[in-house]
Amino acid sequence: MLLFALTIFLSAFLLFQVQPLIGKIILPWFGGTPAVWTTCMLFFQVLLLAGYAYAHAVIALPARRQGLVHLGVLAAAVLASAPTIFPPEGYKPEGDGVPLLQILLVLTVSVGLPYFALSTTGSLVQAWFSRLHPSRSPYPLYALSNIGSLLGLLTFPFLVEPRLGSVTQASVWFFGFAGFCLLCGAIAVQTTRAAGAGQAAEGPRPTPPPSRRRLGACGPCGSRSGPAPRSCCWR
């Protein structure tokens, strides 16, 4: 239970920390207009829906494949964001361009995969918890997710922003995300092993016997000479 609780809480906390963090970093790059925040919110909402759709699709897969697929997503997210989520200087806008597309490109490169991986966690991990612990309710995990989200939003303006610079914030956030990936990866491995153990315990399915005609009393009747009575044969 503790592993699931830490994973759910940390994913929600990081999910709501990265939104103001990356928005604040790129806001001066594009003139500080409200359209920058609006575009950021659009980006995050679309990725959130994509994460829900992904979780729904993964849960529909065979149990042994679910953990393996998600391990690949976690590994790709860590590799794409290492060692920091601070956007590269080369993505700063120069001259004329379409600000909307440039903002979406910066967000995709810097936090796209990590945010997507975090957005899948709530639904996916709760489904795995219910499978591994069918007698226990997953709703406490849902409550922890809400607490993590609220703390992520409240701690950024009052604790994180006044004490840490933007570069440090981006690096610290990445290391927090890497820790989350280790926790979630452990759950994925546990789920995969449990599914494999369940299949091994069931063993191979017995081969059904070949179909036979229900001859009933026709066997004995067939040994008689001449035609068998109508009431004796299978119809």
Side-chain angles (χ1 to χ4, degrees), residues 44-136:
F44 290 130
Q45 289 301 314
V46 170
L47 269 190
L48 192 64
L49 291 175
Y52 291 157
Y54 162 87
H56 178 75
V58 168
I59 293 172
L61 294 175
R64 294 191 66 178
R65 292 181 57 188
Q66 295 178 15
L68 298 177
V69 170
H70 199 59
L71 283 173
V73 172
L74 294 174
V78 171
L79 293 176
S81 57
T84 179
I85 62 168
F86 196 91
E89 293 291 327
Y91 286 93
K92 283 187 175 181
E94 296 180 0
D96 296 333
V98 182
L100 174 63
L101 297 180
Q102 292 176 335
I103 294 171
L104 293 177
L105 177 61
V106 172
L107 292 173
T108 301
V109 170
S110 56
V111 297
L113 273 176
Y115 191 89
F116 174 78
L118 289 171
S119 67
T120 68
T121 306
S123 303
L124 196 56
V125 170
Q126 289 180 49
W128 286 346
F129 178 83
S130 298
R131 179 176 300 159
L132 293 175
H133 307 282
S135 61
R136 305 183 67 176

Side-chain angles (χ1 to χ4, degrees), residues 73-214:
V73 172
L74 294 174
V78 171
L79 293 176
S81 57
T84 179
I85 62 168
F86 196 91
E89 293 291 327
Y91 286 93
K92 283 187 175 181
E94 296 180 0
D96 296 333
V98 182
L100 174 63
L101 297 180
Q102 292 176 335
I103 294 171
L104 293 177
L105 177 61
V106 172
L107 292 173
T108 301
V109 170
S110 56
V111 297
L113 273 176
Y115 191 89
F116 174 78
L118 289 171
S119 67
T120 68
T121 306
S123 303
L124 196 56
V125 170
Q126 289 180 49
W128 286 346
F129 178 83
S130 298
R131 179 176 300 159
L132 293 175
H133 307 282
S135 61
R136 305 183 67 176
S137 172
Y139 291 109
L141 298 177
Y142 180 78
L144 274 176
S145 177
N146 290 336
I147 294 173
S149 303
L150 182 61
L151 288 179
L153 287 174
L154 292 178
T155 55
F156 184 82
F158 297 108
L159 296 178
V160 177
E161 175 62 18
R163 291 170 173 79
L164 300 175
S166 297
V167 176
T168 304
Q169 292 174 25
S171 298
V172 171
W173 190 93
F174 167 76
F175 287 110
F177 176 72
F180 155 78
C181 288
L182 291 177
L183 295 175
C184 193
I187 294 177
V189 171
Q190 184 179 350
T191 303
T192 303
R193 289 178 176 175
Q199 291 183 2
E202 291 178 1
R205 295 182 179 180
T207 304
S211 59
R212 300 177 179 176
R213 292 184 178 180
R214 295 177 2 185

Side-chain angles (χ1 to χ4, degrees), residues 18-35:
V18 74
Q19 297 181 27
L21 191 160
I22 196 68
K24 182 207 65 171
I25 292 174
I26 70 172
L27 187 63
W29 292 14
F30 297 94
T33 63

